[in-house]
Structure formats: structure tokens, C-alpha cells
């Protein structure tokens, strides 16, 4: 297998606050971008288009002549990316669906080995799969010849499963669009992007002078530009050890050697959780008053309330800022851990899942640290890949309750872990990290 030397990551670049008319323009493009995607979803997400999705050019050609672009007056640099964006989504839905059907095939005990072989073969070949779904004739694939199977029965099973799992995608995301490199240029610290009037460009002043030559996505109020760039994968010769990490709520990373990174992450996120809770309660009250006035027919009062109190802009901006601050902290602490520990391998526990959905204690459901747990794992995974560090996940079973000194079941109180059997007294996080190590090293 060839070694990957790069991987795609996203850089962010921010604009200066933009005048209303520019914002209106960006929002208009985003709304049309969304319309194009939904049009593509509607037309091409069904079984009839399955064998049309790759390569994307056949759909792109049809979309070029269908009249929608002219109707929306949307420049091609946006229109075509919206089409490709939507086709990409449809394709990933199909691969998810195939995974689900694959899982069903494996789990179904009424299927013989030959049955499974046939079904898996069909799933791999889009043209054959499409023919089965649309009840067209097809040539039996070479490696499915001579099987002892009831083709008709299996094909109708496949049709049934596909109907069960096939989803019709729909986008309601109106604050984002992509733009291709020929749709923008740079001048005087601003990015100039194609507008609806030919040969005219709209200027977006940027906060920094970086210039990119890739597809750019535009999001949110002041315009945040997401730029996918290739990151070089680094190989560190001095990275040799293995570290065992507990990912926690209070302290972010607790290692089996006792080191802690991202200490007291919760102190950063808890006040924000409280602030958001308080804000939400206030908003709820205001909203109730708004409804009341509207129901009583006092529309002027209702409008006043709406204008003065129900705006989400400030609320969202503040929330976004806090999130960015926390994310920066998380990233720099992971970097610090990697630079200090110099690991060749990192062992963590797999997230606790049930029916593939992550389960968390109800009480902590709305806590922000929880919502960052996924982000921490994602960043850890990414940074491991960039630094050629092996990341292994082991089953969490037993790593929480058992005493890492004697193996007896201990007591957990708040953040403390107490073993009454041997007297070991420490934090839950540290005990857990030690258990991860022992479990990993167990023969
Ligand atoms: Zn013990």
C-alpha cells in the first residue's frame, strides 16, 4: 500500500465586518446554492440515478442545460460547485446505505455463504446494483457465476433493503457556499469574488494577507473562509514510547505516567454552560411574552419584542467566540502533550456506544465539555495522523470501576477513586489511565 504523505486539513481566514449589502449578496448566493443542491437531491438521489453518479460530468452536463442556472442568475463558479457538492452528498449516502445493507447481510442467519457472496458482489458494482433496483436485465458478474442461489429472491431482498434505508437528502443550510478558484482573486488585502453582474466583483476585506488557490467555503455573518489545504505528514525519529490516556471531563487528558494536559477544561466550559442556560431561560420568557402578545392581536408589541430581544446575532457571536477560545486551548494542549511525551503510540478507550449512538449520562447531557469530547477525539486523531503516531482504541470495559493497584472494585466519589480493599486513593482519571495501560499490556 502506498504511504500517504499529506492529508487535507481546513484553515480558517476571517473577513472584516462586512457592510449590509455585501452580507445580502453573500446570503443570496448561499440561498441559491442551497436551492441548486436541493434540486440535484430531488432529481438524482433516487435509484434511477445510481449508475450516473460517477463520474460527475454527466450530471454536471445535464445541469448545465436544464435552465436552473439562468433562472437563478447564479454564476457558474458557484452553480457548478453546488452541483458537485450535492452529488458528493448523494454518493456518501449511497455508501452509508451499502454499509448498512452489508451489516444486515452479515447478521442475517437465513442467508447462505453463496447468498452473501452474491449480494456483496452486487453491492460493489454500481451498474449491476442499479440494474437490480430498476429491474433491468444485466449480465451476471464473473465472480458470482455458478453460485447455488435464488437470484430472484435475493434481488427482491436487495430492493426491499434499499427502499428501507434510502434517504432523500435535503439541505436547509443557507449560510454556506463554495467558490472555485477562478471565481475569486486578491487585491489590496481583500478577496474579490464573482458577482451576478458580468465583469463586476464584490470585495471582501480580510483580516490577514494570506492568499489561497483552492476552493473556498463561505460561512456565517462576517464571512469565515474555510480553505482546505494539504498538510504534510511528519515522521519523528525520536518518538518511541507508548502513552495511555484517559479523556476526561474535568481534566482533558490524564496520562498513566501522571502527567495532565488541558487541566481544568471544565472550568473553562462550565461558566459558559451556565451563561447559555441563563440566556436560554431569558429567551424562553421573552418568547412566551411574544407569543402572548401575538395571540392577543397586539402585533405592534409583539414586533417590538421580536426586534429588541429575540435577535440571535449577538447570542450566537458570543457563543461562537467562547467555542473558538476553548478549541484553541484544546489544540494547544494536545500539541503540548505530543511535544513533551514524544509518543510512537497512543492508547485511549473507544467512546461508549449503544446501537452506534454515543450515550452519556443524562445529567451531563447539556454540559459543554461533553460536546467537546467528540472534538477532542477528532483533534487527537488528526494530530496523530499528522505526526505519524499510532492511535489505538481499546474497549473501556473495566477501566473505570476497577482498582488499578489491586484489581478489586473501587468506589468513585466526585473526582476521587478510593479502593477499600488495598487503600489506593487517587483520581478517577488517573486510575483509569493506569487501567488502560494494564488492559492494553495484558497478554
Ligand atoms: Zn485496590
Amino acid at each position: 500500500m502506498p504511504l500517504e504523505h499529506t492529508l487535507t486539513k481546513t484553515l480558517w481566514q476571517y473577513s472584516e465586518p462586512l457592510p449590509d449589502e455585501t452580507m445580502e449578496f453573500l446570503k443570496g448566493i448561499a440561498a441559491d446554492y442551497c436551492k441548486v443542491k436541493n434540486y440535484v437531491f430531488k432529481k438524482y438521489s433516487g435509484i434511477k440515478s445510481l449508475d450516473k453518479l460517477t463520474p460527475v460530468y454527466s450530471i454536471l452536463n445535464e445541469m448545465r442545460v436544464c435552465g436552473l442556472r439562468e433562472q437563478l442568475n447564479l454564476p457558474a463558479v458557484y452553480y457548478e460547485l453546488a452541483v458537485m457538492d450535492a452529488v458528493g452528498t448523494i454518493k456518501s449516502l449511497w455508501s452509508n446505505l451499502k454499509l448498512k445493507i452489508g451489516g444486515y447481510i452479515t447478521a442475517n442467519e437465513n442467508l447462505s455463504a453463496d447468498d452473501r457472496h452474491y449480494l456483496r458482489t452486487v453491492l460493489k458494482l454500481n451498474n449491476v446494483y442499479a440494474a437490480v433496483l430498476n429491474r433491468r436485465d444485466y449480465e451476471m458478474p464473473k465472480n458470482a457465476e455458478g453460485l447455488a442461489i435464488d437470484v430472484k429472491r435475493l434481488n427482491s431482498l436487495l430492493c426491499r433493503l434499499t427502499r428501507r434505508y434510502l434517504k432523500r437528502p435535503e439541505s436547509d443550510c443557507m449560510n454556506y457556499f463554495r467558490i472555485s478558484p477562478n471565481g475569486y482573486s486578491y487585491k489590496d488585502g481583500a478577496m474579490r469574488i464573482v458577482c451576478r453582474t458580468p465583469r463586476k466583483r464584490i470585495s471582501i476585506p480580510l483580516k490577514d494577507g494570506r492568499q489561497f488557490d483552492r476552493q473556498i467555503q463561505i460561512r456565517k455573518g462576517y464571512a469565515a473562509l474555510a480553505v482546505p489545504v494539504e498538510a504534510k505528514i511528519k515522521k519523528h525519529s525520536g518518538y518511541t514510547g507508548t502513552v495511555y490516556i484517559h479523556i476526561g471531563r474535568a481534566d482533558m487528558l490524564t496520562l498513566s505516567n501522571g502527567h495532565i494536559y488541558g487541566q481544568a477544561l471544565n472550568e473553562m466550559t462550565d461558566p459558559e454552560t451556565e451563561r447559555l442556560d441563563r440566556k436560554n431561560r431569558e429567551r424562553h420568557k421573552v418568547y412566551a411574552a411574544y407569543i402572548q402578545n401575538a395571540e392577543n392581536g397586539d402585533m405592534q408589541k409583539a414586533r417590538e419584542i421580536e426586534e429588541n430581544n429575540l435577535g440571535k446575532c449577538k447570542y450566537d457571536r458570543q457563543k461562537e467566540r467562547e467555542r473558538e477560545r476553548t478549541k484553541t486551548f484544546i489544540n494547544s494542549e494536545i500539541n503540548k502533550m505530543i511535544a513533551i511525551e514524544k509518543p510512537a503510540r497512543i492508547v485511549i478507550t473507544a467512546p461508549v456506544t449503544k446501537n452506534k449512538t454515543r450515550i452519556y449520562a443524562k445529567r451531563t447531557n447539556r454540559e459543554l465539555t461533553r460536546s467537546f469530547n467528540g472534538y477532542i477525539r477528532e483533534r487527537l486523531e488528526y494530530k496523530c495522523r499528522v505526526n505519524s503516531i499510532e492511535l489505538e482504541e481499546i474497549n473501556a470495559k473495566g477501566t473505570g470501576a476497577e482498582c488499578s493497584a489491586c484489581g478489586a472494585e473501587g468506589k468513585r466519589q466526585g473526582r476521587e477513586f478510593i479502593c477499600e480493599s488495598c487503600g489506593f486513593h487517587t483520581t478517577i482519571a488517573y486510575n483509569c489511565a493506569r487501567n488502560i495501560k494494564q488492559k492494553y499490556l495484558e497478554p
Side-chain angles (χ1 to χ4, degrees):
M1 214 164 59
L3 266 170
E4 279 181 73
H5 292 292
T6 60
L7 67 108
T8 308
K9 69 170 184 175
T10 305
L11 283 184
W12 289 90
Q13 186 175 32
Y14 298 94
S15 79
E16 300 290 351
L18 298 172
D20 287 350
E21 53 177 40
T22 307
M23 282 315 301
E24 283 313 308
F25 164 76
L26 294 175
K27 280 181 197 154
I29 296 286
D32 284 351
Y33 191 92
C34 180
K35 279 182 207 152
V36 175
K37 279 176 73 177
N38 281 331
Y39 182 94
V40 173
F41 287 155
K42 211 164 176 176
K43 198 156 173 207
Y44 298 104
S45 65
I47 56 172
K48 288 208 168 57
S49 306
L50 172 60
D51 51 352
K52 257 193 189 171
L53 298 171
T54 314
V56 68
Y57 300 104
S58 58
I59 292 180
L60 206 50
N61 283 333
E62 286 183 26
M63 290 294 295
R64 275 176 189 148
V65 297
C66 76
L68 180 67
R69 192 176 89 69
E70 290 74 13
Q71 191 193 319
L72 295 171
N73 185 26
L74 189 63
V77 290
Y78 308 112
Y79 183 80
E80 304 210 334
L81 282 174
V83 173
M84 292 198 276
D85 206 351
V87 171
T89 305
I90 296 172
K91 280 205 234 172
S92 68
L93 285 176
W94 275 108
S95 23
N96 282 341
L97 177 138
K98 287 178 188 175
L99 276 178
K100 276 190 190 149
I101 295 183
Y104 174 91
I105 293 169
T106 310
N108 188 336
E109 287 169 2
N110 295 322
L111 294 171
S112 69
D114 276 6
D115 289 345
R116 292 198 176 107
H117 182 76
Y118 171 75
L119 291 169
R120 288 195 187 114
T121 304
V122 173
L123 281 180
K124 263 186 219 139
L125 304 166
N126 265 352
N127 55 341
V128 178
Y129 185 24
V132 169
L133 295 179
N134 293 292
R135 300 177 201 275
R136 290 196 305 255
D137 290 336
Y138 60 95
E139 208 176 311
M140 183 58 75
K142 277 247 154 31
N143 75 343
E145 274 170 6
L147 297 171
I149 52 170
D150 178 349
V151 173
K152 222 177 133 194
R153 171 180 149 253
L154 294 178
N155 283 356
S156 66
L157 172 68
L158 213 45
C159 290
R160 249 190 348 266
L161 290 172
T162 306
R163 265 199 305 277
R164 185 189 301 169
Y165 295 128
L166 188 62
K167 285 203 186 83
R168 174 140 284 175
E170 207 184 325
S171 169
D172 56 2
C173 174
M174 298 272 204
N175 59 11
Y176 136 94
F177 61 85
R178 277 173 207 261
I179 176 167
S180 61
N182 51 343
Y184 61 85
S185 55
Y186 293 94
K187 197 181 174 187
D188 304 331
M191 181 185 189
R192 292 147 48 81
I193 67 177
V194 166
C195 109
R196 295 187 199 251
T197 323
R199 287 181 301 280
K200 213 187 135 214
R201 294 209 166 199
I202 290 230
S203 173
I204 300 180
L206 301 168
K207 291 210 163 185
D208 61 66
R210 288 176 299 168
Q211 302 194 353
F212 301 101
D213 59 355
R214 289 168 191 283
Q215 278 180 28
I216 285 185
Q217 305 173 20
I218 300 197
R219 296 170 188 267
K220 285 262 172 74
Y222 41 88
L225 315 177
V227 192
V229 294
E230 304 280 293
K232 269 225 161 60
I233 292 183
K234 293 169 241 169
K235 181 97 192 132
H236 310 277
S237 54
Y239 283 27
T240 49
T242 301
V243 299
Y244 307 88
I245 302 181
H246 171 258
I247 301 174
R249 209 196 81 72
D251 296 329
M252 181 170 83
L253 308 174
T254 303
L255 277 55
S256 64
N257 60 12
H259 296 172
I260 292 173
Y261 299 90
Q263 193 149 25
L265 175 67
N266 60 327
E267 282 173 23
M268 202 163 175
T269 55
D270 284 353
E272 178 63 1
T273 309
E274 276 160 32
R275 192 183 71 81
L276 290 178
D277 274 355
R278 201 171 56 238
K279 277 275 164 212
N280 277 329
R281 275 196 305 275
E282 281 165 20
R283 287 177 61 82
H284 193 77
K285 264 190 226 155
V286 172
Y287 188 66
Y290 167 76
I291 293 288
Q292 188 70 53
N293 279 299
E295 276 175 0
N296 294 343
D298 191 347
M299 285 319 288
Q300 200 192 334
K301 181 86 185 143
R303 253 196 309 277
E304 266 173 42
I305 293 178
E306 189 183 9
E307 275 163 18
N308 295 330
N309 296 300
L310 282 175
K312 276 198 82 145
C313 264
K314 187 175 159 208
Y315 172 84
D316 283 348
R317 238 181 2 248
Q318 211 162 347
K319 193 165 134 185
E320 194 58 34
R321 249 198 324 264
E322 285 302 323
R323 284 194 73 85
E324 288 307 318
R325 205 167 64 93
T326 309
K327 282 180 177 179
T328 306
F329 176 70
I330 290 171
N331 281 300
S332 68
E333 288 298 303
I334 296 176
N335 289 345
K336 201 157 99 189
M337 183 274 291
I338 289 173
I340 293 175
E341 306 292 336
K342 302 190 185 343
R345 180 186 293 131
I346 290 175
V347 184
I348 56 174
T349 56
V352 182
T353 61
K354 195 178 182 184
N355 299 330
K356 297 257 163 95
T357 323
R358 288 177 188 193
I359 47 162
Y360 297 125
K362 218 176 190 148
R363 188 176 57 85
T364 51
N365 234 348
R366 61 200 164 75
E367 283 172 12
L368 272 178
T369 331
R370 282 297 179 202
S371 67
F372 281 110
N373 194 293
Y375 181 76
I376 295 166
R377 287 175 174 276
E378 191 188 302
R379 296 310 291 166
L380 189 61
E381 199 185 311
Y382 171 77
K383 285 171 194 294
C384 282
R385 276 164 64 204
V386 175
N387 290 293
S388 311
I389 297 166
E390 218 182 306
L391 181 68
E392 284 199 47
E393 287 189 346
I394 63 165
N395 190 319
K397 204 169 166 223
T399 55
E402 276 171 30
C403 169
S404 60
C406 75
E409 188 153 325
K411 262 192 357 203
R412 286 176 283 183
Q413 285 171 350
R415 295 180 55 186
E416 308 287 297
F417 182 91
I418 302 151
C419 176
E420 280 167 347
S421 175
C422 75
F424 190 55
H425 185 173
T426 179
T427 62
I428 293 174
Y430 180 57
N431 183 60
C432 194
R434 282 171 39 120
N435 274 331
I436 292 171
K437 178 176 181 179
Q438 280 163 23
K439 195 166 171 183
Y440 185 79
L441 295 176
E442 254 168 30

